[in-house]
Amino acid sequence: MLNRTEPGNAHPRLMMLALLIALATGQALPGRAQSAPPSPAPPAQTASAAGTPAATPADPSSDPTADLSTEAMFPHFKDSRFWLSGQANFIFQTHPNFHADYSGKNSLSPNYEKATSRVMTFYTGVRLNNSTEILVDIEEAGGAALSTGLGLAGAPDLDIVRNPLLSKAPYLGRGMIHKVFALSKDKVENQRSFLSLFDELPRRRLELRFGKFSMPDFFDLNSVGSDTHFQFSNWTTDNNGAYDYAADTRGYTVGLTADYEDRNWGFRFAEVLMPKVANGIDLVWRPWQAHAENWEYELRRGFIPIKAGVIRLLAYTNYANMGIYRDQIAQAEDNDVAPVITDHPWHITRKYGFGINLEQNLTRYLTAFARFGWDNGKTESFAYTEVDQTFAEGVGAQGAWWHRKQDRAGIAFVSNAIKKDHQTYLADGGLGFLLGDGALRYGRENILETYYTVHAWRGIYLAPGLQHIVDPGYNRDRGPVLIPAFRAHVEF
């Protein structure tokens, strides 16, 4: 494994300077990690991964620039080659007592709980010329999670710290070089964000990014359900639960993305590193052994005539030191003990899956979305969450509909499932990195989530929310669980 720096123990200015020097000289990027789940995707109003506003399809019957900007406490200059902004996100959640016939080591506690998480990010960037830029984010995450983040496949707070033993010091979130190769002379306007500083981009182009980033920065984006800053907060509402994307405990990885964009479609690919153990803090710096490939095709076309929409088709394959549920079940039966998915020598196995991500404008202010995800399910859930199949659908509304331009609201339903081998493993007393009630009477984990985000004043957003979860952890002997929430968000 390559030696890596510990930016959490250094002054942030020194961290950024060291990263800029490393990027400029081609040295290895530091890979410091943290225990928060994947960092929130860019706000629905920012550019898509490709740098275009495709992730927010405009209704041709409306003003294409309406309601796309998010107000911040301080102005963001449009004519500068530098970027400087920040955000702070606080999510308070609780749940009352709920029914549980039994509980295990990895169960959601059936007793009253409350917890508050926080994620604070300082975004920086510099555009070196009209085709190259360097982007660096410093992040701090902490607070607490309900039951330390255990007991639910669709965990209710995407910002939670899953490993409370990790350092609470600031750390390097993202650090990457972004290079754009023009393949046409005509240009399209680009909405600047912390992921792209260009004012305009070639209509047909190839974009390369190398460094440290989160896979949901660029894959499986959705303008209705991808952002814990302003939208939903459940893991399987904001992301495809069956997309076991490569990430360390904090949700970041290191690698390369390539994105080809044309007028109405795009195709992106990523080659990235995998963690050493499930939900682990360390990445494996031997890409010839442990690695992940991700593909996504995006067609910017709706299902309803004259109404904009997007279709995204996703595929991924992971190679890592993952256990096989059936093998560990058989081994445990021979020894008359509970199965342990990690009880095997180092060996590289393969996990793969697919996803469909749809969104469709219904009216000028109303957009529907749906996701479907599937993975092979025989291989250990490793990086994101314990879901082998998922289906989600929901609707998001812009506040301009009721004359509150910066407000938004949404409602979504998610149904998660696991395959038979995974069910048997948990029923026999096995523990995953999130689940393990000691036994299991299987049922699909169904989640209903709703929120309303109100813009209080100059970049300050407040949002009450509610989640209702049936059969938490796929267990019909536990629940249902009602989780009220309140979010406070500040854009700088």
Side-chain angles (χ1 to χ4, degrees):
M1 179 179 293
L2 297 177
N3 290 328
R4 293 178 295 149
T5 61
E6 291 289 333
N9 299 325
H11 194 283
R13 291 181 181 176
L14 296 179
M15 293 159 51
M16 290 191 291
L17 178 60
L19 179 67
L20 293 175
I21 294 173
L23 290 170
T25 57
Q27 300 300 312
L29 290 171
R32 178 84 160 82
Q34 184 239 324
S35 74
S39 270
Q45 289 72 30
T46 66
S48 73
T52 68
T56 307
D59 185 336
S61 65
S62 68
D63 177 3
T65 64
D67 306 312
L68 293 183
S69 62
T70 298
E71 185 172 330
M73 187 168 291
F74 306 111
H76 297 162
F77 300 107
K78 296 183 178 180
D79 56 351
S80 171
R81 66 190 184 96
F82 298 98
W83 181 269
L84 188 65
S85 69
Q87 70 84 30
N89 207 52
F90 301 87
I91 299 179
F92 169 81
Q93 292 185 330
T94 185
H95 72 73
N97 297 342
F98 65 88
H99 169 79
D101 288 344
Y102 47 84
S103 296
K105 182 178 180 181
N106 285 4
S107 292
L108 180 70
S109 172
N111 302 317
Y112 169 80
E113 289 186 290
K114 60 182 180 180
T116 302
S117 68
R118 70 176 184 273
V119 174
M120 295 180 285
T121 316
F122 179 58
Y123 302 108
T124 70
V126 57
R127 190 174 64 240
L128 303 180
N129 51 47
N130 61 2
S131 65
T132 308
E133 60 187 4
I134 296 176
L135 307 169
V136 179
D137 301 346
I138 304 300
E139 196 164 78
E140 190 274 342
L146 297 175
S147 298
T148 66
L150 300 173
L152 292 167
D157 183 358
L158 189 52
D159 287 355
I160 63 171
V161 177
R162 288 188 284 193
N163 184 351
L165 301 179
L166 288 178
S167 170
K168 300 300 188 293
Y171 56 91
L172 176 71
R174 300 172 183 84
M176 71 187 93
I177 294 177
H178 179 206
K179 177 70 175 180
V180 179
F181 295 91
L183 302 178
S184 66
K185 293 183 179 180
D186 55 328
K187 304 280 188 177
V188 294
E189 184 179 353
N190 179 57
Q191 188 172 351
R192 282 162 52 96
S193 76
F194 66 92
L195 290 173
S196 180
L197 311 186
F198 300 113
D199 299 310
E200 58 181 15
L201 291 166
R203 183 177 298 277
R204 189 167 66 252
R205 63 192 180 277
L206 175 65
E207 299 188 47
L208 299 181
R209 295 175 186 263
F210 172 73
K212 185 181 181 184
F213 48 81
S214 181
M215 293 302 296
D217 288 340
F218 311 114
F219 289 78
D220 194 44
L221 284 171
N222 193 299
S223 71
V224 179
S226 280
D227 182 19
T228 61
H229 294 177
F230 300 100
Q231 301 171 341
F232 303 99
S233 61
N234 190 282
W235 291 13
T236 53
T237 310
D238 280 332
N239 292 315
N240 186 328
Y243 180 23
D244 202 22
Y245 59 85
D248 61 24
T249 316
R250 290 187 170 107
Y252 295 104
T253 185
V254 173
L256 171 73
T257 69
D259 188 350
Y260 174 83
E261 290 296 324
D262 209 329
R263 181 183 300 269
N264 294 317
W265 65 280
F267 181 81
R268 54 195 65 101
F269 168 78
E271 182 76 31
V272 294
L273 301 181
M274 287 289 291
K276 185 176 181 181
V277 298
N279 191 222
I281 193 67
D282 296 318
L283 299 174
V284 178
W285 292 86
R286 297 188 294 274
W288 57 91
Q289 291 184 347
H291 54 91
E293 291 78 46
N294 300 256
W295 302 266
E296 186 174 56
Y297 172 73
E298 179 177 298
L299 178 63
R300 295 181 277 275
R301 179 175 298 176
F303 294 96
I304 302 176
I306 317 179
K307 300 288 185 181
V310 185
I311 302 169
R312 300 178 183 89
L313 304 178
L314 174 74
Y316 73 93
T317 181
N318 296 338
Y319 295 87
N321 180 35
M322 298 177 286
I324 305 297
Y325 288 115
R326 187 171 298 178
D327 293 348
Q328 301 312 119
I329 292 169
Q331 178 178 303
E333 288 176 348
D334 292 341
N335 298 319
D336 195 25
V337 294
V340 179
I341 194 63
T342 58
D343 186 18
H344 58 79
W346 175 276
H347 65 162
I348 300 298
T349 56
R350 180 183 181 219
K351 187 180 187 72
Y352 58 90
F354 307 93
I356 302 173
N357 181 345
L358 311 173
E359 56 181 305
Q360 174 65 61
N361 277 18
L362 303 177
T363 70
R364 179 175 180 177
Y365 304 113
L366 200 61
T367 303
F369 83 99
R371 282 191 178 100
F372 174 78
W374 176 95
D375 66 46
N376 61 318
K378 298 180 180 180
T379 312
E380 174 185 6
S381 294
F382 204 69
Y384 186 48
T385 188
E386 297 193 49
V387 174
D388 298 327
Q389 183 201 81
T390 186
F391 176 75
E393 59 182 354
V395 176
Q398 296 182 14
W401 190 3
W402 51 93
H403 310 292
R404 293 278 305 174
K405 183 178 180 181
Q406 292 292 319
D407 290 9
R408 63 210 76 187
I411 187 169
F413 172 78
V414 185
S415 183
N416 300 318
I418 52 176
K419 301 293 182 61
K420 185 63 178 179
D421 290 350
H422 200 163
Q423 296 173 30
T424 303
Y425 173 81
L426 295 176
D428 288 352
L431 299 177
F433 70 87
L434 287 177
L435 303 181
D437 294 328
L440 184 72
R441 189 163 69 95
Y442 178 74
R444 294 184 71 98
E445 185 183 80
N446 294 324
I447 302 166
L448 182 66
E449 180 177 7
T450 186
Y451 74 91
Y452 183 91
T453 299
V454 59
H455 180 223
W457 178 79
R458 289 192 60 172
I460 299 176
Y461 297 82
L462 305 175
L466 185 66
Q467 297 179 46
H468 184 262
I469 303 176
V470 177
D471 298 339
Y474 310 108
N475 200 337
R476 297 172 65 187
D477 290 334
R478 312 185 84 247
V481 186
L482 189 67
I483 303 178
F486 185 82
R487 175 178 58 220
H489 178 78
V490 183
E491 284 281 315
F492 298 102

